[in-house]
Amino acid sequence: MSEVKPYPPRVLVTKIGLDGHDRGSRIVASYLRDAGMEVIYTNPWQELDSVVKLAMEEDVDVIGISSLATDHLLVPKLMRSLSDAGLSHIRVIVGGIVPDLDEMELKKAGVSRVFHPGSTREDIIDSVNQLAIQALEARPSF
Amino acid sequence: MTELSTGLTSLLAGESTALARAITAVDNEHPVARDILGAIQAYLGKALVVGFTGPPGAGKSTLVNRFITEMRARSKSVGVVAVDPSSPITGGALLGDRIRMSEHTLDSGVFIRSLASRGHLGGLSISAARIVDIMDAAGREIVILETVGTGQSEVEMAEIADVRVVVLAPGLGDDVQAIKAGILEIADILVVNKSDMPLAKQTVRQLKGMLALRAPVERQVPIIETSALDGKGIPDLSEAVFDQGTNHASTKKLKSADRYRRLLAQTTARLAETLVHQQAHTHLKTVLEELKNADINLDTAACRALKILNENLLND
Ligand SMILES: Nc1nc2c(ncn2[C@@H]2O[C@H](COP(=O)(O)OP(=O)(O)O)[C@@H](O)[C@H]2O)c(=O)[nH]1
Ligand SMILES: [Mg+2]
């Protein structure tokens, strides 16, 4: 009878690999929260398997991975693991210092967007909102 | 009995992805949630539901982390529902409780879900109760509910949990005095966490003093000192939870009262939904007007609203 109501996007903001600087991801998390999203925040140094289980349990629409060092090189492997877990509707974005060549690799692996230093708050928020809608549309029904 | 959808079959088989998606359906008040909740009714009442509440910073999440370890040592499967407030202005929320529980992330026997309190029709108790039910139906033996103890939420947790643990800690200001009102009444177990801190003893003394002032009650509320940092007192806490849990099991006769309460809660939620979706407020204009002019009080207004709704809507 009733139509599906709009609900806040759910976003997992996390860091993988060895780099422990999480100032950037904290800032992005608070941007998204202030834009009305539900943000699940984790410690840095997550293993890929942990990210997959977190995303599954929390049933997020978007995963934001922050990478200052070369940790983004692990992301293609994460994309495969998500797909293996039946979570390929989840959109993944990467933020941080990512060289152009690597960015191409990430996109090829299925990453939706790469945000470089200096990306604006509005750009990040708009993009995550858009991607959350895409994830909702791609979501398997119960 | 009609045939179950694959989603429901997976949920009842305890499959994590189905559990996660069922919780989302309920949290989002998606139409499919009604089917899910309807189908699981026959599978409820197996889990022991343990509520942890208390002021922010008391160490609830850190304590829950330790408690999960204890439950896993007893080979119990665990579901955790950790609720944090949504911003009333933006609707957003930063959900960080599970940071303290990260050692359990990869354990398939532990399923943790962070929830924002949102502005649910019927309040947090309705949606949290439904999500706890889903965890129960999915076969989680111990379901832990963490809520921040401010205002309504203690009372809401009291309605959902089989065992209610109220967590306090020294050094949170003069909170013991401030929060005593609702909290002592609902607690089955009082925990003074951060016992590694010097002021903990004083908090325990204050609490004992306050309990002594209470009218004598048939049940003893144990006060347990814990340190979620070094693990002290955690086995005592587990013992106390199981003690209370068996008490609860022996009073499971209350089950029908339980069902009645649920029926009332569900009816209330449906009524609120009807109000919103069918824009009943057009029917309630006069009541609202009288309320605005302070001609009638809120309770009278509510009674009148029910009467009007009964005449105009509920027969549709
Ligand atoms: N000293 C001490 N600190 C603790 C203890 N338990 C938790 N904490 C700290 O208290 C802070 C708040 O803990 P958290 O579990 O997030 O509290 P919550 O808001 O009640 O969930 C964190 O910095 C914890 O490390 C304890 O037993 N002793
Ligand atoms: Mg907490």
Side-chain angles (χ1 to χ4, degrees), chain A residues 2 5 7 10 33-34 36-41 43 49-50 53-54 56-59 86 89 139-140 142, chain B residues 7 16 18 20-21 24 28-29 31 90 92-95 98-99 105-107 110-114 116 118:
Chain A
S2 50
K5 275 174 261 173
Y7 68 96
R10 285 173 68 85
R33 186 228 12 228
D34 293 343
M37 301 184 203
E38 293 177 1
V39 182
I40 293 93
Y41 193 76
N43 289 330
D49 288 350
S50 301
K53 190 166 180 255
L54 282 160
M56 181 272 289
E57 288 180 349
E58 299 291 352
D59 202 0
H89 65 286
R139 215 183 136 77
F142 181 76
Chain B
S16 300
R21 288 180 184 157
T24 304
N28 292 346
E29 294 168 4
T90 66
L94 206 52
L95 307 172
R98 69 176 304 153
I99 289 179
T105 305
L106 283 175
D107 179 352
V110 179
F111 184 107
I112 302 172
R113 181 62 174 258
S114 316
R118 295 191 184 171

Side-chain angles (χ1 to χ4, degrees), chain B:
Chain B
M1 187 155 242
T2 52
E3 207 164 301
L4 296 175
S5 72
T6 39
L8 277 168
T9 311
S10 311
L11 173 66
L12 292 172
E15 208 251 296
S16 300
T17 307
L19 174 55
R21 288 180 184 157
I23 292 173
T24 304
V26 169
D27 198 26
N28 292 346
E29 294 168 4
H30 189 281
V32 78
R34 197 165 295 164
D35 304 333
I36 299 172
L37 292 166
I40 64 174
Q41 291 306 312
Y43 305 90
L44 300 182
K46 296 196 199 79
L48 179 68
V49 184
V50 187
F52 286 78
T53 195
K60 297 180 292 298
S61 302
T62 318
L63 202 60
V64 165
N65 178 55
R66 292 279 184 180
F67 186 72
I68 297 171
T69 308
E70 283 281 315
M71 295 305 106
R72 295 301 292 147
R74 296 170 192 231
S75 305
K76 302 278 188 197
S77 62
V78 176
V80 180
V81 182
V83 188
D84 273 324
S86 303
S87 155
I89 297 159
T90 66
L94 206 52
L95 307 172
D97 286 322
R98 69 176 304 153
I99 289 179
R100 316 258 182 236
M101 309 169 198
S102 50
E103 68 188 82
H104 301 291
T105 305
L106 283 175
D107 179 352
S108 62
V110 179
F111 184 107
I112 302 172
R113 181 62 174 258
S114 316
L115 289 179
S117 55
R118 295 191 184 171
H120 281 293
L121 294 172
L124 166 66
S125 56
I126 302 279
S127 74
R130 289 169 174 173
I131 288 166
V132 165
D133 281 353
I134 289 175
M135 292 244 186
D136 182 4
R140 296 283 150 174
E141 294 163 289
I142 305 287
V143 178
I144 298 167
L145 176 63
E146 178 186 336
T147 52
V148 177
T150 46
Q152 249 325 85
S153 61
E154 296 89 300
V155 183
E156 293 185 327
M157 188 202 68
E159 291 171 1
I160 301 167
D162 298 321
V163 180
R164 293 152 277 254
V165 182
V166 172
V167 184
L168 304 170
L172 295 170
D174 51 358
D175 51 84
V176 175
Q177 290 303 322
I179 60 181
K180 68 178 175 188
I183 259 183
L184 286 188
E185 278 70 27
I186 65 137
D188 297 312
I189 297 167
L190 283 164
V191 167
V192 175
N193 188 39
K194 308 197 185 182
S195 63
D196 52 285
M197 286 172 65
L199 284 171
K201 287 279 173 244
Q202 193 184 321
T203 308
V204 173
R205 269 199 306 279
Q206 283 177 332
L207 263 180
K208 283 191 173 144
M210 274 159 44
L211 285 183
L213 288 177
R214 282 211 311 182
V217 281
E218 66 287 355
R219 77 200 161 107
Q220 279 288 327
V221 179
I223 300 180
I224 297 172
E225 296 172 53
T226 62
S227 169
L229 275 199
D230 61 28
K232 251 184 61 204
I234 308 295
D236 301 341
L237 173 61
S238 305
E239 282 310 314
V241 166
F242 279 111
D243 278 359
Q244 297 285 339
T246 10
N247 278 348
H248 177 267
S250 65
T251 54
K252 279 259 172 170
K253 284 176 237 99
L254 283 177
K255 219 55 212 187
S256 73
D258 241 39
R259 287 208 183 278
Y260 180 62
R261 189 175 47 64
R262 274 175 201 218
L263 174 63
L264 284 188
Q266 179 71 19
T267 310
T268 313
R270 287 280 278 133
L271 193 60
E273 219 172 294
T274 310
L275 270 168
V276 174
H277 285 300
Q278 308 196 4
Q279 292 169 340
H281 57 263
T282 55
H283 293 284
L284 297 179
K285 260 198 207 114
T286 53
V287 182
L288 284 169
E289 196 60 29
E290 284 176 300
L291 200 55
K292 188 176 121 203
N293 301 333
D295 291 340
I296 50 174
N297 67 28
L298 189 58
D299 196 46
T300 313
C303 291
R304 206 167 293 173
L306 276 177
K307 194 152 175 281
I308 294 172
L309 288 176
N310 189 28
E311 285 159 7
N312 291 288
L313 291 176
L314 297 181
N315 323 326
D316 301 358

